[in-house]
Amino acid sequence: MADNQEPAITEDFLSAALKTRLNATHVEVTDMSGGCGASFTSLIVSPDFVGKNSLKRHRLVNAALKEEIARIHAWSAKCQTPDEYAKEKAATGGNDGPPMDGTNAQGKVEGVTE
Amino acid sequence: MLTRSLFSRQLFAAASRPAIAPKAVSSAFRPVLFYQNRFLSDATRQAIDKAVASAPVVLFMKGTPETPQCGFSRASIQVLGLQGVDPNKFAAFNVLEDAELRQGIKEYSDWPTIPQLYIDKEFVGGCDIIVSMHQNGELAKLLEEKDVLVKGEEGAAEEQTEKKE
């Protein structure tokens, strides 16, 4: 935060970055920072994911947010195509969102500090 | 909720099996350079090659299977326990014990976070991918194909993968 050179990494910042860099049509970023540094989890919906397996999708996201991910403690993502997102939303009654695996009952990351 | 408590119970059963940490391999990681090195040295690459090949299923994690030091590593080891991965076909490397490994593995896999799972020397993914493959049945299928599950313990994993959280 004290660093004037680089923008602070926030939910909004990451959201905007994913929309421009990955053509994401829908993004939800949730701050799950607990006791061990900045942590974010995300749901990313982008047509760029069409025809790519899970690993390739995550690699796309990792590349798009290379600098940002390097500066935070933890990063989690769920990558869906617009079709998959629509289907899951319909199937779960609108209950689709960022993955919270790895967080505690309060949705925060616990672990060692850097 | 039910699924969660099943998760932890079975995990601990699995994690308390005699796992892991092959000493000969991990000693190759005694730090040469403490500070993070942007370029993966040949020595580090070779040591990681060896680690990746040390067992059919290899997890690079924070902490140990018995005592994971991070929620993502914990979730990943839980999934492997639930799936019934044979401890004799599994190795875990604690990146917190070695700065060279911790930085090196990120470059080696071109993957920015820990944990990282390898099956048959092939990079599978991190926690998000492990968990989603667990939920959609792909992981059970892959582990089955690679013949790395404990014999006679099928069933547990199959039942679990049908339950989507």
Side-chain angles (χ1 to χ4, degrees):
Chain A
M1 308 279 165
D3 195 341
N4 293 324
Q5 312 274 312
E6 301 176 73
I9 296 178
T10 61
E11 292 176 354
D12 290 345
F13 177 84
L14 292 171
S15 221
L18 287 164
K19 280 179 184 158
T20 46
R21 297 176 202 170
L22 271 186
N23 305 312
T25 51
H26 177 78
V27 180
E28 291 172 39
V29 178
T30 305
D31 190 333
M32 51 174 180
S33 305
C36 58
S39 306
F40 294 91
T41 183
S42 61
L43 168 68
I44 305 161
V45 181
S46 166
D48 292 8
F49 295 146
V50 175
K52 295 190 173 64
N53 68 17
S54 185
L55 184 58
K56 285 191 179 135
R57 295 177 187 189
H58 278 85
R59 285 206 187 279
L60 268 185
V61 174
N62 293 344
L65 294 180
K66 198 170 195 298
E67 299 305 316
E68 289 78 8
I69 293 175
R71 285 167 55 204
I72 61 181
H73 175 76
W75 170 253
S76 197
K78 177 173 178 175
C79 310
Q80 291 184 314
T81 64
D83 273 2
E84 290 165 354
Y85 175 61
K87 260 185 211 160
E88 178 151 350
K89 235 172 104 177
T92 58
N95 189 15
D96 191 8
M100 298 305 281
D101 307 289
T103 63
N104 64 16
Q106 286 75 46
K108 300 296 178 194
V109 175
E110 284 173 339
V112 291
T113 48
E114 288 296 315
Chain B
M1 277 294 128
L2 178 64
T3 329
R4 283 212 184 278
S5 59
L6 269 175
F7 257 61
S8 19
R9 214 176 323 135
Q10 294 186 5
L11 153 71
F12 285 121
S16 63
R17 289 193 198 116
I20 287 149
K23 291 203 172 59
V25 182
S26 62
S27 69
F29 283 118
R30 288 298 147 240
V32 184
L33 286 169
F34 181 74
Y35 215 72
Q36 75 177 47
N37 192 344
R38 278 271 124 194
F39 304 100
L40 200 49
S41 71
D42 286 351
T44 307
R45 179 173 292 281
Q46 280 163 17
I48 297 177
D49 278 341
K50 219 169 147 188
V52 163
S54 65
V57 181
V58 176
L59 186 71
F60 296 90
M61 63 181 292
K62 290 184 179 173
T64 62
E66 294 76 14
T67 322
Q69 299 288 314
C70 162
F72 300 100
S73 290
R74 180 178 297 114
S76 302
I77 204 83
Q78 277 181 347
V79 165
L80 297 179
L82 268 175
Q83 290 282 345
V85 170
D86 185 344
N88 298 314
K89 294 179 177 173
F90 175 74
F93 291 86
N94 180 1
V95 304
L96 298 179
E97 279 184 355
D98 196 300
E100 186 88 348
L101 172 61
R102 185 174 180 174
Q103 185 56 33
I105 192 65
K106 293 180 183 175
E107 288 180 48
Y108 183 92
S109 312
D110 186 24
W111 194 260
T113 50
I114 310 289
Q116 299 185 7
L117 178 67
Y118 278 80
I119 297 179
D120 245 1
K121 296 188 261 184
E122 198 174 318
F123 181 65
V124 175
C127 180
D128 293 330
I129 290 180
I130 296 170
V131 169
S132 72
M133 285 178 75
H134 172 63
Q135 289 168 345
N136 67 22
E138 285 174 30
L139 187 59
K141 199 171 149 231
L142 179 62
L143 295 168
E144 187 77 34
E145 273 170 21
K146 301 291 182 182
D147 191 27
V148 293
L149 298 173
V150 174
K151 303 287 180 239
E153 278 198 17
E154 303 88 353
E158 283 162 24
E159 277 169 39
Q160 283 300 326
T161 51
E162 284 165 16
K163 281 182 200 159
K164 278 202 165 186
E165 277 190 75

